[in-house]
Amino acid sequence: MQLTATNPKTLARSIGILVDRTVADTPTLGNVWMIDSDKVATCAHLALSYHNYLQALAVRFPHNGKQYGVEKAMFHPRFDKHAVGQLVQVALTEPTQTLPLQQHNAVVLQLKEELPALTDTMVWKVNKNLSLPVPPRDQGLGGNLGEIDLYVVIQTITNARKEGVLIICDDRNHPMARVFCQNGRVMYAQFRNLNNEMAIYQIVNRDLKGNFFFWTADSPNWDVQAPIARPADMLLIEAHRRVDELKGMIARLGNLHSLFVRKQEEPHLEVIPSESKDYVRMIWPLLDGGTPVGQLWQLTGIDDYAIVASLLELVATGQVETLKEDLVLPTDSNAIIPPLDLAVHVPLEPWDKITNVYLDTDTMRPMVRQGCLLGQLREEDKWHLLHNVRLIPEATGSPLFKDGKVIGMHCGGLPPNYGNRSENNLQAMLWVESIVECLRGGGDDETANKLTLMEMPRLKETGEVAPEKRLDEATAQQSLSISRKAPGCREVARLDCPKCGRTSLESARFCKSCGQELIRETAYSKPARKPPVYLVLSCLILLAVVAGGLFLSSLPTPVLVTTKPTVIRDSAPLTMDVFRQAFKADSNIGYWKKEGPETIFKEKDLIHLAFSTRESCFVYLIYRGASKAADMPALIYPVSPVSDKELSKGFSFTIPSDVDEPVNEKDHHLLGLEVSGPPGAETFLAVCSSRKLKLLGNSSATERVFRKADTLLGKDGGNKGKEVLVSDLGEKDLAVDESGSTKDGKLASSAQDDSIYICRWVVEHR
């Protein structure tokens, strides 16, 4: 049975939510929607971390009140799991705003009726593998806001005049909010889309209770505007005042689940107090009954207090009213969830009217918002489109409709660009053809063929309609007309430049008149501020590290290529060893066994890497994968400013940082990295320097350094290693002058004359 009705409540019967069962409050990951009797579609990044733990996931449909297990995940064949895995395992110091916007971010999940029981071991494994590493305790402050109040934490930092970033995380150490302190002041703050004062107010209002970490940094690692002017004490006092007053204000308004609609086209600002006029302008376009009051802060730049205060003014002046329509879905435990129609053959054009339907995860009510399709994100890219339906993050994965049929899937909002505030209205979507490609990539051609024939009948060369899908003559002629046009959207989004006003058609990224950036790059291959980190989900990178260590101990004396007096090393400054899980005879007790250079690792092997320095130095590890998708060189160490420091002689560390965790007095778990991925040749390159290099957070410089070093080592010189000048890498101002000596913003030339040690290994695996 296929849904053809355009009633949003009817369409919502086929929409569910994806949840993580291993966390106490079962957090919602995003929306899903039925495409076949046992298959749903959603965004790939929501399920990627669980690809080895699908039993941890459940799909809930409010229409029948049932939960389903996930049996199989079919990712889009061109979705770069390797690159997105790096973003998922991002260091605590880096934001991940572009995670939902990666290319071909689609997956089809095959469901099963039975929901498998979760064992304590499975819960432990999922939480351990999905948690980000905790920074070393000697690098800064850390704790949990459930045990110590945020006011005390910030007061401690500012009174001690510490300079650095305070990160507030969830229980798995994934960042939720950031605060930068300097000279006894709170300078900048960020909480989702809120910044500075509004971010602090909302952090206090939402009473975040996660882990927190603080470490030294001389600047914030996110885009900032003007700093916070209010002293830290006054800022927190104001935040608590707003919280106290907000409780009574919400009671007057109704509750945070209320939906409000406009009673006229434009607001009458002349009757609104001056302090609320700007806030009214911000929320007015969103008052269409499609977003609960408690979620409006995620679509504006203001906190709950400012939103509720503005709504009270609009209610008092008769400009808005609560939505009276009952949006609660009727529940029928015997209902079969019907699949939605896919508009795979429908041509699309900019400014087509579209509708989004998603589930409010708090109330399970269907939320409906409308807007327009804008066009392609990039020229000649038919899969990635833009729309202007402003949606909260929890709506990720929800379907977008035109005339009651799915034309695409919502991925997320584009990251903010302070040079262009208007782009806050830009949202990304995947064309529905991506779902069909997921099925074909997963080997399910039968379902893919069924879906492509679902929206329009196949016509024979004679023009006769296939007997199993006969239509009336008018409908058949309409179908023939549609078939003559290319399906999907073929025009780049027309965006008005905020600087010069010109509309750009040829490219959605830059204005063709003045060069103003209209949309920030969201592809992982060229991130703005996203340094790669060590990869838990991609052991191909780590296998490269493994093989590199197996050869370093046998390196001969390197050849010095410089006229500058320096110390010629008689051995590599860094050693690496690999350990593989083994079991004692006739028992299930595991232990770590050191492997030799001849070892060939196999699928599902559990390993960890051990590193040790033979002299004090900065260490930078760069990896290039074997597959075309992983061809971009990636910096895998250091992972954050915390670890970007000179390592003392004899310094040892492992990847992952914990390799053995006791369960009780007699038992323990081995923690490691599971070998997976297709066979191929992996390249690993080590750079050891006496000075810090500007590679962390600079993916373009990392790529150039890798390729230049690869050339310097030649075809056969990788395993021997080579000592060269920093300047030989061809990267201007690469080394940091520790003395701080600069001239006109440039580092002293002596830093570029230092010698560094480079070595490369090419490793084949099966």
Side-chain angles (χ1 to χ4, degrees):
M1 179 177 67
Q2 286 301 118
L3 286 179
T4 57
T6 57
N7 184 340
K9 187 183 294 187
T10 303
L11 298 174
R13 295 174 180 176
S14 301
I15 300 174
I17 60 173
L18 183 67
V19 299
D20 179 351
R21 302 167 58 210
T22 63
V23 181
D25 56 354
T26 56
T28 299
L29 301 175
N31 276 229
V32 302
W33 44 285
M34 189 70 77
I35 63 170
D36 198 28
S37 59
D38 63 344
K39 297 178 181 69
V40 296
T42 189
C43 288
H45 79 277
L46 301 176
L48 179 62
S49 297
Y50 300 85
H51 73 284
N52 288 326
Y53 310 100
L54 293 179
Q55 55 267 58
L57 297 175
V59 172
R60 295 177 178 173
F61 286 99
H63 180 41
N64 61 9
K66 293 182 180 179
Q67 290 193 105
Y68 299 85
V70 178
E71 185 172 7
K72 180 181 178 182
M74 290 175 276
F75 292 92
H76 193 286
R78 282 182 284 178
F79 176 67
D80 194 341
K81 292 190 286 187
H82 164 81
V84 178
Q86 295 185 55
L87 287 177
V88 171
Q89 289 296 322
V90 70
L92 286 173
T93 55
E94 295 302 322
T96 58
Q97 290 176 319
T98 64
L99 180 60
L101 306 178
Q102 299 309 300
Q103 297 186 23
H104 306 290
N105 185 16
V107 67
V108 170
L109 303 177
Q110 184 169 324
L111 305 182
K112 54 184 178 182
E113 291 281 347
E114 66 277 7
L115 199 61
L118 279 179
T119 64
D120 292 341
T121 300
M122 174 55 64
V123 173
W124 178 87
K125 284 184 177 180
V126 172
N127 282 296
K128 193 68 179 179
N129 282 277
L130 268 59
S131 296
L132 294 181
V134 177
R137 287 294 182 185
D138 60 353
Q139 296 296 330
L141 304 175
N144 189 283
L145 293 179
E147 301 172 356
I148 181 171
D149 190 75
L150 178 64
Y151 185 95
V152 176
V153 175
I154 291 181
Q155 191 176 52
T156 300
I157 295 171
T158 54
N159 287 348
R161 305 188 71 83
K162 290 182 175 291
E163 181 180 64
V165 179
L166 172 68
I167 305 291
I168 302 174
C169 308
D170 60 19
D171 291 337
R172 288 175 174 168
N173 297 330
H174 291 262
M176 296 188 293
R178 294 173 168 82
V179 180
F180 177 74
C181 300
Q182 187 180 57
N183 297 327
R185 293 178 54 198
V186 174
M187 299 292 291
Y188 306 100
Q190 180 193 53
F191 180 29
R192 290 208 174 181
N193 65 309
L194 303 185
N195 292 283
N196 289 0
E197 290 93 336
M198 287 297 177
I200 294 293
Y201 299 155
Q202 194 69 357
I203 290 170
V204 174
N205 177 45
R206 291 286 162 164
D207 195 22
L208 300 186
K209 292 298 186 184
N211 300 326
F212 70 89
F213 306 99
F214 179 85
W215 55 81
T216 302
D218 57 8
S219 63
N221 61 342
W222 67 91
D223 292 327
V224 297
Q225 291 180 295
I228 298 173
R230 184 172 293 187
D233 286 346
M234 297 301 297
L235 183 68
L236 293 171
I237 290 173
E238 172 64 13
H240 285 90
R241 182 193 70 82
R242 295 166 86 96
V243 171
D244 292 339
E245 293 186 9
L246 184 59
K247 297 175 183 178
M249 294 165 61
I250 293 174
R252 292 163 51 198
L253 192 66
N255 58 62
L256 291 179
H257 300 307
S258 301
L259 299 170
F260 282 85
V261 292
R262 304 179 292 266
K263 296 175 68 174
Q264 69 251 359
E265 186 174 348
E266 296 294 335
H268 299 315
L269 296 177
E270 65 276 5
V271 297
I272 301 295
S274 57
E275 64 271 15
S276 298
K277 288 183 179 180
D278 286 340
Y279 299 151
V280 167
R281 292 189 185 97
M282 292 179 183
I283 67 173
W284 185 260
L286 300 169
L287 301 180
D288 56 5
T291 308
V293 172
Q295 299 293 348
L296 287 173
W297 68 274
Q298 299 197 75
L299 300 178
T300 63
I302 56 179
D303 68 332
D304 283 334
Y305 179 91
I307 290 169
V308 173
S310 301
L311 280 171
L312 287 174
E313 293 292 343
L314 290 171
V315 170
T317 55
Q319 301 188 61
V320 298
E321 61 183 356
T322 56
L323 184 65
K324 297 181 175 59
E325 181 184 356
D326 182 13
L327 295 178
V328 178
L329 281 176
T331 301
D332 181 0
S333 60
N334 296 318
I336 297 175
I337 306 300
L340 294 170
D341 269 339
L342 274 63
V344 292
H345 298 292
V346 174
L348 304 172
E349 296 181 355
W351 305 113
D352 279 349
K353 299 294 183 181
I354 60 176
T355 300
N356 173 267
V357 182
Y358 73 95
L359 294 180
D360 175 23
T361 57
D362 291 333
T363 63
M364 299 302 286
R365 295 178 302 176
M367 297 289 106
V368 181
R369 300 219 67 216
Q370 296 181 330
C372 295
L373 178 68
L374 299 180
Q376 294 179 357
L377 175 62
R378 305 175 186 86
E379 195 170 5
E380 303 300 328
D381 183 352
K382 62 181 181 180
W383 292 276
H384 302 90
L385 308 176
L386 293 177
H387 66 92
N388 63 4
V389 185
R390 294 168 67 180
L391 299 169
I392 62 175
E394 288 76 10
T396 300
S398 58
L400 291 151
F401 300 90
K402 177 185 176 184
D403 299 329
K405 297 176 182 178
V406 181
I407 64 166
M409 178 171 63
H410 173 67
C411 296
L414 268 66
N417 178 353
Y418 290 115
N420 179 10
R421 299 300 296 181
S422 66
E423 74 177 70
N424 288 341
N425 295 331
L426 299 181
Q427 310 286 314
M429 63 174 280
L430 279 175
W431 181 36
V432 72
E433 177 68 23
S434 299
I435 306 305
V436 178
E437 292 175 340
C438 287
L439 292 166
R440 297 199 188 281
D444 192 355
D445 288 335
E446 181 180 354
T447 304
N449 291 337
K450 181 171 66 173
L451 293 180
T452 54
L453 293 173
M454 193 172 290
E455 192 274 333
M456 186 182 107
R458 286 276 181 91
L459 299 178
K460 299 181 179 179
E461 293 181 0
T462 60
E464 181 183 352
V465 180
E468 66 274 15
K469 291 185 178 283
R470 292 189 181 278
L471 302 175
D472 57 59
E473 182 178 353
T475 305
Q477 290 299 323
Q478 181 182 10
S479 298
L480 281 171
S481 176
I482 291 176
S483 67
R484 298 189 186 104
K485 298 180 181 179
C489 185
R490 294 299 189 270
E491 290 188 59
V492 176
R494 296 181 176 91
L495 302 178
D496 293 335
C497 176
K499 185 176 180 180
C500 70
R502 177 176 173 176
T503 297
S504 292
L505 174 62
E506 297 88 348
S507 169
R509 278 202 64 200
F510 297 95
C511 175
K512 292 300 180 181
S513 177
C514 67
Q516 166 76 15
E517 186 180 24
L518 302 175
I519 302 175
R520 285 193 172 181
E521 179 60 53
T522 59
Y524 178 78
S525 59
K526 297 180 180 179
R529 296 179 62 89
K530 303 290 185 300
V533 299
Y534 73 84
L535 310 180
V536 173
L537 300 178
S538 180
C539 284
L540 294 179
I541 290 181
L542 297 165
L543 283 176
V545 180
V546 170
L550 298 179
F551 291 100
L552 272 174
S553 59
S554 61
L555 291 175
T557 304
V559 178
L560 181 64
V561 188
T562 178
T563 58
K564 182 176 183 283
T566 187
V567 177
I568 301 177
R569 299 176 177 89
D570 58 3
S571 61
L574 179 70
T575 64
M576 291 174 276
D577 294 300
V578 60
F579 291 79
R580 179 164 57 175
Q581 182 186 40
F583 295 93
K584 296 180 180 180
D586 301 325
S587 76
N588 293 324
I589 300 176
Y591 69 96
W592 290 116
K593 178 184 176 183
K594 183 177 178 180
E595 299 291 354
E598 297 83 12
T599 302
I600 298 177
F601 296 97
K602 300 177 296 184
E603 190 84 4
K604 302 297 183 181
D605 277 348
L606 189 69
I607 64 172
H608 82 261
L609 310 173
F611 298 81
S612 182
T613 57
R614 288 177 170 166
E615 62 181 69
S616 297
C617 61
F618 289 86
V619 174
Y620 299 89
L621 309 176
I622 308 175
Y623 161 81
R624 183 178 64 187
S627 66
K628 183 176 180 181
D631 183 63
M632 182 68 66
L635 183 71
I636 62 174
Y637 186 88
V639 299
S640 73
V642 172
S643 53
D644 190 9
K645 62 180 181 179
E646 185 175 21
L647 306 181
S648 59
K649 181 179 179 180
F651 182 86
S652 299
F653 61 97
T654 61
I655 294 180
S657 57
D658 295 324
V659 299
D660 199 322
E661 178 170 286
V663 176
N664 49 50
E665 294 181 356
K666 297 181 179 181
D667 198 8
H668 65 103
H669 286 288
L670 296 184
L671 309 178
L673 304 155
E674 192 176 81
V675 176
S676 63
E682 316 292 326
T683 304
F684 175 77
L685 190 142
V687 180
C688 300
S689 170
S690 61
R691 299 181 191 262
K692 182 182 293 187
L693 303 181
K694 293 183 177 181
L695 292 179
L696 182 62
N698 192 341
S699 60
S700 58
T702 298
E703 178 185 359
R704 293 191 295 268
V705 165
F706 179 93
R707 302 196 187 281
K708 185 64 176 179
D710 191 52
T711 302
L712 290 172
L713 290 169
K715 293 183 178 180
D716 304 317
N719 289 347
K720 297 178 181 179
K722 182 177 288 189
E723 198 156 5
V724 299
L725 293 177
V726 173
S727 57
D728 289 337
L729 296 179
E731 193 70 16
K732 188 177 181 182
D733 296 339
L734 178 63
V736 176
D737 188 351
E738 292 111 333
S739 67
S741 174
T742 59
K743 183 177 181 181
D744 298 329
K746 298 181 179 180
L747 297 171
S749 60
S750 61
Q752 307 306 312
D753 295 334
D754 283 349
S755 64
I756 58 174
Y757 190 88
I758 58 176
C759 194
R760 177 195 64 206
W761 301 268
V762 178
V763 182
E764 294 186 1
H765 62 90
R766 67 183 184 189

